[in-house]
Amino acid sequence: QLPDGVVELGVDIRGVNRAARSQALGRANRRLIELSAEEGVRAFVVSLPSIKEASVMDPRLVALVEASAAELGFTVARMPSGPGHDAQNFVEIGVSTGMIFIPSRNEGVSYNPKEYSTAKDLENGAKVLATVVANLAS
């Protein structure tokens, strides 16, 4: 619980381009300082040590996932993942890693009770995974 008059604001800046993230963080920090001076309040920034760098998936696996989904007639879109995933841990130790995303209601919210995908979307994701595995085995 925060003391009276104290407001805590969290900002999570993610992306695979470290320079762009650093630039965005710098702009946010400068604006925070400007606003705190304008409003006569004290503000400070604390970086969280638990935040991991974004991980880049294996381009070969990403291409294979895309090709497998297209082969099955599904719409394909390459996208970054906002939340951290176990996949990051595999990338860190040198394991070729890729991810398959399926449609989700509520704007793709994840790690939240509002997260929901239909049984058909889950089935289609499993079909893509099976096709990827079959293609890797051949």
Side-chain angles (χ1 to χ4, degrees):
Q1 172 135 355
L2 297 171
D4 287 344
V6 174
V7 176
E8 185 176 279
L9 171 67
V11 177
D12 187 358
I13 299 174
R14 294 182 187 227
V16 295
N17 183 321
R18 183 186 297 232
R21 281 193 331 273
S22 179
Q23 186 178 37
L25 182 58
R27 283 194 314 264
N29 287 343
R30 284 189 298 278
R31 187 65 182 130
L32 176 65
I33 291 166
E34 290 170 4
L35 285 172
S36 64
E38 289 171 15
E39 299 296 325
V41 297
R42 190 171 52 116
F44 58 92
V45 175
V46 176
S47 293
L48 301 176
S50 63
I51 302 282
K52 287 186 173 184
E53 284 296 314
S55 299
V56 177
M57 301 292 110
D58 182 320
R60 181 175 155 254
L61 282 177
V62 171
L64 184 55
V65 167
E66 288 176 334
S68 298
E71 177 183 324
L72 292 165
F74 300 132
T75 301
V76 175
R78 199 173 278 211
M79 58 194 323
S81 172
H85 287 277
D86 292 340
Q88 288 178 303
N89 298 318
F90 290 113
V91 171
E92 282 181 15
I93 61 172
V95 175
S96 294
T97 306
M99 295 176 71
I100 299 169
F101 293 95
I102 62 171
S104 179
R105 291 185 188 163
N106 302 319
E107 299 178 12
V109 67
S110 59
Y111 297 103
N112 182 298
K114 293 179 183 175
E115 180 177 8
Y116 178 82
S117 296
T118 67
K120 187 64 175 169
D121 289 330
L122 295 169
E123 177 186 340
N124 290 344
K127 287 179 180 178
V128 173
L129 177 60
T131 304
V132 168
V133 171
N135 286 331
L136 284 170
S138 64

